[in-house]
Amino acid sequence: MPLKTEKIPLAHPLLIDLLKMAYSAEKAAAFAYQGHAASVKNKDEKAAIRQIEIDEWNHRREVLQIMEQYNVPVSRYYEVRFYIIGKMISMSCHIIGWFMPFYFAGRLESGNVCEYFRMKQYFNSLGIREHDKTLYEMGIKEKEHEVYFLEKIKTNKHLPLFEKLFAWGVFKSYNNIDLDKKYPVEDSDDYCRK
Ligand SMILES: [Fe+2]
Ligand SMILES: [Fe+2]
């Protein structure tokens, strides 16, 4: 009789929810960057944002692969919710000027970084280490996105006010990763610990 490959269920509700949410949120991000890339005139900015959009689609694919491995279904609720959010942000990029799409993209990326490091911690708490590298790389990629957007606006005259109002900018980040002094994957347990 052929061996059946059993899918192992994940005994971790927070992890399951985080996977479902990240999968759908990556689509929202990709949609948002479609609008963002279309709204900027500068060719280099367009190309960079287009590349970030591709990164987000890749993340979505990688998250799905992990979900399938543990039989985690895609959430229809998150898919609809993030579809609407992504399309709304995408449209708004055409009407809110140059600064705000860069600012809020950076702020969002800043928060996304820790989603992948938190996933890694959750998997590790179950004794599962096989996704460490993938999750680490996705988290670092989000950090690179954050840094790209911050670099674009860090000398902009609007930033001090926005940083005060929305708690992200040159002095405030939603994660503790420093790309210049990056820890390797095996020493990255202190990233995003609350
Ligand atoms: Fe992403
Ligand atoms: Fe990103």
Side-chain angles (χ1 to χ4, degrees):
M1 232 172 61
L3 272 176
K4 257 208 308 196
T5 40
E6 290 285 330
K7 292 194 176 179
I8 327 120
L10 279 180
H12 200 310
L14 287 175
L15 174 56
I16 291 171
D17 189 59
L18 192 54
L19 283 162
K20 289 177 178 177
M21 204 185 67
Y23 174 73
S24 300
E26 289 291 359
K27 181 174 71 175
F31 283 159
Y33 292 132
Q34 286 172 355
H36 192 185
S39 74
V40 295
K41 292 188 187 77
N42 181 292
K43 261 166 73 185
D44 293 339
E45 289 172 359
K46 230 182 234 307
I49 299 166
R50 170 79 184 120
Q51 179 55 54
I52 293 173
E53 181 208 335
I54 293 168
D55 293 342
E56 311 303 11
W57 289 123
N58 288 338
H59 286 172
R60 180 164 155 95
R61 209 167 22 243
E62 285 178 291
V63 173
L64 185 65
Q65 264 173 21
I66 297 176
M67 288 166 73
E68 283 173 343
Q69 194 172 333
Y70 302 96
N71 255 346
V72 174
V74 168
S75 158
R76 287 213 10 222
Y77 167 72
Y78 282 143
E79 280 292 279
V80 172
R81 182 176 146 184
F82 283 103
Y83 178 93
I84 295 168
I85 290 174
K87 289 289 181 186
M88 277 174 61
I89 298 173
S90 182
M91 279 188 302
S92 75
C93 288
H94 294 276
I95 48 176
I96 57 175
W98 181 91
F99 173 80
M100 278 201 268
F102 276 95
Y103 179 83
F104 287 109
R107 189 181 184 278
L108 201 85
E109 295 286 356
S110 184
N112 288 349
V113 173
C114 283
E115 284 187 359
Y116 290 113
F117 285 102
R118 212 170 302 129
M119 262 181 219
K120 179 175 166 295
Q121 289 159 15
Y122 289 159
F123 271 114
N124 293 167
S125 76
L126 298 170
I128 300 169
R129 291 216 155 252
E130 65 173 283
H131 311 296
D132 282 10
K133 195 166 170 286
T134 306
L135 296 170
Y136 170 91
E137 278 167 4
M138 286 199 277
I140 294 291
K141 184 57 80 183
E142 304 297 16
K143 183 70 194 182
E144 289 169 12
H145 295 167
E146 177 190 0
V147 169
Y148 169 75
F149 291 117
L150 183 61
E151 284 297 317
K152 296 298 297 181
I153 55 162
K154 71 177 184 192
T155 54
N156 190 287
K157 63 175 195 289
H158 300 300
L159 184 60
L161 174 66
F162 273 72
E163 183 156 4
K164 209 176 273 176
L165 290 174
F166 300 106
W168 176 80
V170 174
F171 302 104
K172 287 179 194 151
S173 175
Y174 288 100
N175 58 75
N176 59 341
I177 287 136
D178 180 349
L179 286 183
D180 296 330
K181 287 176 251 155
K182 207 164 49 179
Y183 299 138
V185 57
E186 56 278 13
D187 296 327
S188 63
D189 282 358
D190 282 339
Y191 282 159
C192 303
R193 287 243 181 247
K194 282 219 177 100

